[in-house]
Amino acid sequence: MEQLNHKAGFVSIVGKPNVGKSTLMNVLVGERLSIITSKAQTTRHRIMGILNGTHNGTDFQLVYSDTPGIILPKYELHKSMMTFVHSSLEDADVILFVTDIFEKYDEDDVINKLARIDHVPVLLLINKIDLATEEQVQEKIAHWRERFPTQAIIPISALKEENIGQIFDSIVNQLPIHPPYFDKEELTDKPERFFASEILREKIFLNYKKEIPYSCEVVITSFKEEDNLIRIAAEIYVERVTQRAILIGHKGESIKKVGTQAREAMEKFFGKKVFLEQFIKVEPDWRSKAQKVKSFGYSQD
C-alpha cells in the first residue's frame, strides 16, 4: 500500500550554458551540490540531487539532474558532456527547459532536441527575471508561447528564489506513482571525492581567466577520512606548460590562494577540517583525447 501512495521520478534540468541551471538545481534540492560561476560551461557532468518529502498527503522522491549546457561539441570532452544531457532526457519524467531573460533566440538546437520528446511534460522556465522589467518578462512569455509548445511557462529568479514553489508544485503533480529509486537518506548519486574535485575546479574557474579554467581537470587521487580530519590529494591537469606556469603563479601565490579557498569550501561542505595537497601535471591536449577524457570520468559506463 505504501508504494501505491508514493510518487517518484527523474527531473532533468536542461538548457544552454549560463542560464542558471546549477543555481536552480541547488535551490530546488536545498543543498549546494552544483558549482556555480559566471563563466559558461562550468558544469561538465550530470549531477543528481535527491529530494524526499510529502506533498498533499503523498510521499515523493524527486531526482533532479543538473546537466552541462547544450553546445555544439568542439572537443571529445564536449561530446562526452553532451552524452550526459542526452541520457538525462532519455530517462526524464519531467523536463525543466531553462532559458533566461537575456536569451537571443538562438536556441534552435535545444528546441529541436526537446521537440522530439513528446511523451514527457516540459516546463519552460524564464530565469533571471529579477534583472528585467515586467514588460520585458511579458514579452519573453509571449515569445515562448508562440514558439514552444509547453504546458507551462514560468518566469523565475533562481537567485532570488522567485516562483520556485510554483515549479515544485507543477513537478510533483506530474510525477508518476512509483516507489523511491534511491534510499531516502541519500542526497546525491555522487561520491565525496567527486564534490572535492568540483569544489577545487570551481575555485580555478573563479580565479583564472581565458582558457585556463577550461583546460583544467581535477582528479582526487586520495581521500582519507579520519575522526576530525579529511586528507585530500588532488592532481590538476592542464594542457600546456605555459598554463601550468600561470596556474602556479608568481612564487606559487596563485595556486596557494586557490588551495586555501578550496580547503575552506570543502570544510564547510564536509563539516570537517581538511588537509589539501595539490599537484599540477601537464597532459597535452587532453580534451581532444577520447581515452583520456574517459579516464577522467566522462563516461556513461
Side-chain angles (χ1 to χ4, degrees):
M1 287 297 293
E2 183 180 353
Q3 291 188 359
L4 294 177
N5 194 37
H6 190 284
K7 289 185 169 187
F10 291 87
V11 182
S12 296
I13 305 172
V14 302
K16 294 182 78 69
N18 221 24
V19 293
K21 297 185 298 299
S22 295
T23 301
L24 177 62
M25 160 85 158
N26 291 341
V27 170
L28 289 169
V29 177
E31 297 284 348
R32 197 174 192 278
L33 297 179
S34 293
I35 65 175
I36 300 169
T37 77
S38 60
K39 296 182 175 68
Q41 298 176 40
T42 303
T43 300
R44 289 179 178 173
H45 293 265
R46 177 185 183 181
I47 304 171
M48 291 186 185
I50 304 165
L51 182 67
N52 299 286
T54 302
H55 184 263
N56 293 335
T58 302
D59 292 338
F60 68 83
Q61 181 177 84
L62 292 174
V63 185
Y64 290 105
S65 288
D66 185 18
T67 63
I70 298 176
I71 55 173
L72 294 175
K74 295 181 180 179
Y75 304 98
E76 287 296 327
L77 171 63
H78 290 165
K79 292 179 183 177
S80 295
M81 287 163 58
M82 291 306 98
T83 64
F84 294 133
V85 178
H86 298 321
S87 67
S88 77
L89 292 176
E90 288 172 2
D91 62 26
D93 293 292
V94 179
I95 295 171
L96 305 183
F97 172 25
V98 186
T99 179
D100 70 28
I101 204 71
F102 303 110
E103 183 58 66
K104 300 300 183 183
Y105 307 142
D106 61 348
E107 60 293 278
D108 287 343
D109 50 339
V110 184
I111 292 175
N112 291 337
K113 292 178 192 302
L114 296 179
R116 293 193 289 270
I117 303 173
D118 56 6
H119 61 287
V120 179
V122 178
L123 307 181
L124 193 151
L125 311 180
I126 304 173
N127 194 21
K128 305 180 184 179
I129 62 170
D130 54 304
L131 302 177
T133 64
E134 181 61 28
E135 182 181 2
Q136 290 173 316
V137 172
Q138 293 305 318
E139 286 177 359
K140 289 292 181 182
I141 292 174
H143 164 79
W144 283 111
R145 279 218 177 94
E146 182 178 335
R147 185 140 192 239
F148 190 80
T150 180
Q151 294 179 335
I153 298 176
I154 306 174
I156 68 166
S157 170
L159 187 64
K160 302 291 185 180
E161 300 190 16
E162 292 184 45
N163 294 339
I164 299 302
Q166 188 177 345
I167 300 173
F168 173 76
D169 289 340
S170 297
I171 292 170
V172 176
N173 288 337
Q174 298 183 83
L175 281 183
I177 298 295
H178 198 283
Y181 290 94
F182 295 90
D183 187 282
K184 288 282 190 171
E185 299 302 314
E186 290 189 45
L187 177 63
T188 179
D189 65 321
K190 298 295 186 185
E192 290 178 319
R193 282 173 178 254
F194 173 82
F195 292 104
S197 67
E198 285 289 273
I199 288 170
L200 180 50
R201 197 166 62 82
E202 177 187 58
K203 302 312 174 188
I204 293 172
F205 261 82
L206 293 173
N207 282 279
Y208 297 90
K209 299 178 180 179
K210 297 181 180 178
E211 85 281 0
I212 296 297
Y214 300 102
S215 299
C216 286
E217 180 58 33
V218 177
V219 176
I220 302 300
T221 56
S222 178
F223 189 102
K224 297 179 180 179
E225 191 164 0
E226 301 172 5
D227 289 341
N228 299 307
L229 177 71
I230 303 175
R231 299 182 184 274
I232 299 173
E235 292 179 348
I236 304 173
Y237 287 86
V238 292
E239 293 188 309
R240 297 195 296 275
V241 174
T242 52
Q243 293 172 344
R244 184 179 187 275
I246 295 171
L247 196 62
I248 294 172
H250 181 63
K251 295 183 179 179
E253 292 176 358
S254 297
I255 195 62
K256 182 179 179 181
K257 179 182 177 183
V258 166
T260 299
Q261 292 177 357
R263 176 182 54 78
E264 291 173 350
M266 288 178 192
E267 289 178 345
K268 184 176 180 181
F269 185 86
F270 295 119
K272 283 188 176 183
K273 287 290 184 182
V274 170
F275 176 76
L276 175 64
E277 289 185 289
Q278 301 174 105
F279 304 92
I280 304 174
K281 297 189 174 184
V282 179
E283 180 64 45
D285 300 320
W286 70 264
R287 288 181 293 174
S288 299
K289 298 176 179 177
Q291 200 59 40
K292 199 65 187 178
V293 167
K294 186 176 182 180
S295 74
F296 283 156
Y298 296 96
S299 171
Q300 293 290 314
D301 298 342

